[in-house]
Amino acid sequence: MRSLITGANRGIGAALRQEGERRGHDILSTHRGPAAKGWLTLDVTSEGDQRSAAAQTGAIDLLICNAGVLRDKGKTFAETSAADWSETLAANVTGTALTVQAQLANLSEGGRIAIISSMMGMQSRTPGNTMAYRASKAAVTNLGRNLAEMLRPEGIAVGIYHPGWVQTDMGGASADLTAEQSAQGLWDRFEALNMAATGAFQNYDGAALDL
């Protein structure tokens, strides 16, 4: 399966790239660094980068929208700046939308889109902290569900996934899962994604999640 992973240079993205390659998939990855073999330069918030990356990608079977930021980690609501809000929403929501817009022409019937979201955006989980990130993940889950309906007539399935609490720079060293464990579960979900499951919000282990 020929797949494109955004933000694949670190954390969960890097683990997804390694796991995909281990399973024998043809993996094309993006990062904000210089282009290299197997890598495309992509700032997901840049329409110019998106057009350039899409032109270089070619036909793909799976688009994995993984790139994202956490700008308000450890900050109170009062400490979260306008820049924190705008950068978080730009990368996590607009960046995902722009990536799908740009890559749709590279996906054909039977193609798949995987959006990495988070349980932190669930309406039932509102502890009153990390609000910019939580709002962005609620929005990107909603975006994924709307894309699923929009693309249903095209035969393109969309899955939305919580990767678990993962030991990355974002998740911290005390998190439950290694990036490798998360990637293994997520790839199981990607490989099983079909039109019967389009629009579903799932945990990395396949458990159904509420909105």
Side-chain angles (χ1 to χ4, degrees), residues 4 20 31 35 38 78 92 103 122 140 142 149 151 185-186 203:
L4 176 67
H31 64 169
N92 297 357
Q103 294 293 337
M122 290 168 54
V140 85
N142 183 275
E149 292 308 309
L151 295 172
L186 288 169
N203 199 25

Side-chain angles (χ1 to χ4, degrees), residues 70-115:
L70 172 54
R71 292 286 185 250
D72 56 334
K73 182 178 181 179
K75 294 184 179 181
T76 65
F77 181 64
E79 292 167 339
T80 306
S81 68
D84 292 329
W85 278 96
S86 62
E87 290 172 17
T88 299
L89 293 169
N92 297 357
V93 186
T94 305
T96 298
L98 292 177
T99 301
V100 174
Q101 281 182 343
Q103 294 293 337
L104 265 182
N106 292 323
L107 283 164
S108 59
E109 184 173 356
R112 312 172 200 189
I113 298 171
I115 294 174

Side-chain angles (χ1 to χ4, degrees), residues 19-40:
E19 180 65 16
E21 290 174 345
R22 189 187 70 78
R23 295 185 184 214
H25 298 298
D26 180 9
I27 304 296
L28 188 60
S29 306
T30 82
H31 64 169
R32 287 183 287 184
K37 184 178 180 180
W39 289 89
L40 297 173

